[in-house]
Amino acid sequence: MALKKMKEYKTLQKHFSRFFQNPLKFLFVSTTCILTYFFPRILLTGPVYIGWNITFNCMCKCDFCKSSDFYKKDKELNTAECIRIIRQIAKSGVCLLSITGGEPLLRNDLFKIIAEAKKYGISINLITNGYLLEEKAEMIIKSGIDTVTVSIDSLFEKEHDLLRKCPGLFKKAKKGIEKLQNIKTNKPNIIVTSVVNKKNYKYLNKFVKYWSDKKVTVTLQPIQENSSKSIFKVKNKDLLFLDSDKTDFNYSYQKLLKKYPFFRIGYEKEFVNFFFDKKRFRRKYKCFAGFFMAQIDAFGNVYPCPEFIECFGTLKKESFKNIWKSQKAYNFRNKLKKFGCEYFCWYKCTGTINYYLTNLLKLI
């Protein structure tokens, strides 16, 4: 048992080291966030993690995302505004910045913004659909991006392209990953992430093996729709699970967990409960949005999480520090801690944080 736990710990340590390049800073900021959770008026730092939808522009029209519906070119943050925001969140102590979209590689100034973040030692995770990955591979390497996460939702080219409504996407993403692998030295770490849904769950074992054989780390995220304000909206309802799917899904998913131990020690092991027993699931886990994490949209609005459930303020008018310490943010934290979240999501970012912190607080 001890040996098993040691192996799990080493696997977990290896996973998180991909994202957090400064463990002492991560430990300090995490500790202050835990302190804030118990004493909401004490805010010594900002959040550990920030997700940034740096643009809503995208070449895909995914069956589970409406990002491009939000796109308003003339209202999105310009380069100067983005750089100012980077400096502000750096001062707040943020450890990891996940840059997502839309498709972030569509921004011509992306690498200038990333260069500013790297000056302050912020770890960068770039989330991309992979369409422009091959074209931008050398710039990604030179930028010092720590992790590139590529969204691929099927082992089958036609099915993936159909889900994302973007012909040729699978081939482009695959070629982009191969180019990164051919020219990179230490960085970036390459991750393929897949949205688990009713169309692809039976092939997850083969999917994970396919990318693992190519020396690519695989992560999973359950399909979901929660807040109406979020960009995540399932347009094709055939992708959603019904209660009658529980037995088949559980059978297939348990085989995956047995074959790939890493999925048994993280938030992924809770997918069955998330899909089929949400009431019990919500009672089991706390939400730490607004404590450990924040989300910034393409217009500079600050939210507690990717669900965009409540806007704390806009960075076009206020500093990140003032927004994070505002009465509105304080009220949200108190309400969340007391009553929980109306929309309990389980994304890779929020689910991972909520999973580990809930279990940690049980020990305190």
Side-chain angles (χ1 to χ4, degrees):
M1 180 64 72
L3 182 61
K4 182 181 177 182
K5 288 292 182 184
M6 183 64 71
K7 287 181 178 179
E8 288 182 352
Y9 171 76
K10 287 182 177 179
T11 304
L12 195 61
Q13 187 181 44
K14 182 180 178 182
H15 173 72
F16 279 106
S17 68
R18 293 187 177 100
F19 295 101
F20 299 107
Q21 303 302 309
N22 188 333
L24 290 178
K25 179 184 175 184
F26 170 62
L27 181 62
F28 172 73
V29 178
S30 297
T31 303
T32 65
C33 289
I34 291 175
L35 191 63
T36 300
Y37 184 77
F38 288 108
F39 307 100
R41 288 292 185 189
I42 300 177
L43 279 166
L44 300 178
T45 68
V48 174
Y49 165 87
I50 292 179
W52 191 354
N53 301 86
I54 206 160
T55 181
F56 287 126
N57 192 14
C58 191
M59 64 284 286
C60 297
K61 305 287 184 183
C62 302
D63 278 341
F64 38 76
C65 177
K66 56 179 181 179
S67 172
S68 55
D69 293 347
F70 284 54
Y71 180 55
K72 297 175 183 176
K73 183 178 180 180
D74 57 340
K75 291 189 177 181
E76 292 197 341
L77 296 164
N78 60 38
T79 307
E81 288 170 329
C82 288
I83 288 175
R84 176 168 52 80
I85 290 169
I86 288 291
R87 292 169 182 168
Q88 290 178 7
I89 64 174
K91 287 180 181 178
S92 81
V94 65
C95 299
L96 172 63
L97 177 64
S98 272
I99 297 179
T100 183
E103 173 48 54
L105 288 173
L106 284 171
R107 277 196 71 130
N108 294 325
D109 58 356
L110 178 65
F111 294 103
K112 187 174 182 178
I113 297 165
I114 289 171
E116 189 68 22
K118 296 310 294 179
K119 285 181 187 178
Y120 295 95
I122 299 174
S123 296
I124 301 293
N125 174 38
L126 177 69
I127 303 174
T128 173
N129 60 39
Y131 193 90
L132 298 173
L133 200 54
E134 183 180 18
E135 177 185 330
K136 306 281 187 178
E138 291 182 5
M139 296 175 74
I140 289 171
I141 301 293
K142 290 177 183 177
S143 72
I145 289 173
D146 300 279
T147 306
V148 173
T149 300
V150 187
S151 300
I152 299 180
D153 300 313
S154 177
L155 186 63
F156 309 109
E157 179 183 328
K158 288 183 179 179
E159 185 174 272
H160 174 67
D161 293 356
L162 185 63
L163 281 169
R164 298 259 167 182
K165 300 294 183 289
C166 186
L169 180 60
F170 184 93
K171 280 184 179 178
K172 283 182 175 290
K174 183 181 174 184
K175 285 182 179 179
I177 290 170
E178 290 169 350
K179 185 168 182 180
L180 279 178
Q181 288 180 317
N182 289 335
I183 64 177
K184 82 183 186 79
T185 50
N186 296 322
K187 293 182 184 179
N189 299 299
I190 302 171
I191 294 174
V192 161
T193 188
S194 183
V195 176
V196 178
N197 62 76
K198 193 171 178 176
K199 296 282 188 182
N200 68 5
Y201 78 92
K202 291 182 180 179
Y203 309 105
L204 287 177
N205 256 300
K206 292 180 179 179
F207 180 87
V208 175
K209 183 180 188 306
Y210 176 83
W211 290 107
S212 297
D213 288 347
K214 294 182 179 296
K215 309 300 180 186
V216 174
T217 301
V218 178
T219 64
L220 304 173
Q221 178 168 286
I223 192 168
Q224 55 201 290
E225 57 177 359
N226 296 294
S227 167
S228 59
K229 300 175 184 177
S230 170
I231 65 171
F232 300 107
K233 176 70 176 177
V234 181
K235 306 165 195 173
N236 181 0
K237 302 303 180 182
D238 290 339
L239 299 176
L240 296 173
F241 291 99
L242 303 174
D243 289 342
S244 57
D245 297 317
K246 181 177 181 178
T247 301
D248 284 346
F249 178 82
N250 189 45
Y251 175 76
S252 295
Y253 201 67
Q254 291 305 320
K255 288 201 298 183
L256 179 78
L257 297 183
K258 185 177 181 180
K259 187 172 182 179
Y260 298 99
F262 176 72
F263 294 134
R264 297 203 302 266
I265 62 172
Y267 96 120
E268 288 96 343
K269 79 174 187 178
E270 289 285 3
F271 281 18
V272 176
N273 288 329
F274 177 77
F275 284 135
F276 302 105
D277 195 356
K278 279 219 172 64
K279 286 184 178 179
R280 180 171 170 271
F281 179 81
R282 289 181 65 179
R283 290 196 299 268
K284 186 175 181 179
Y285 291 100
K286 299 179 183 297
C287 178
F288 297 91
F291 292 96
F292 281 77
M293 68 188 93
Q295 193 78 16
I296 302 172
D297 73 12
F299 313 126
N301 299 310
V302 178
Y303 303 90
C305 70
E307 285 295 307
F308 298 164
I309 53 178
E310 186 165 337
C311 182
F312 291 167
T314 175
L315 291 163
K316 287 192 174 186
K317 295 179 180 179
E318 302 175 78
S319 69
F320 183 81
K321 179 181 178 180
N322 288 345
I323 291 173
W324 195 245
K325 291 187 174 184
S326 67
Q327 186 65 39
K328 196 168 187 180
Y330 172 79
N331 291 343
F332 173 84
R333 294 184 189 107
N334 274 349
K335 182 181 176 182
L336 181 70
K337 186 178 176 183
K338 187 174 181 180
F339 300 107
C341 182
E342 181 184 354
Y343 309 102
F344 202 97
C345 62
W346 204 243
Y347 301 114
K348 180 64 180 175
C349 53
T350 58
T352 300
I353 291 172
N354 293 339
Y355 175 84
Y356 288 111
L357 285 177
T358 299
N359 286 303
L360 176 64
L361 291 185
K362 290 177 182 177
L363 304 175
I364 296 178

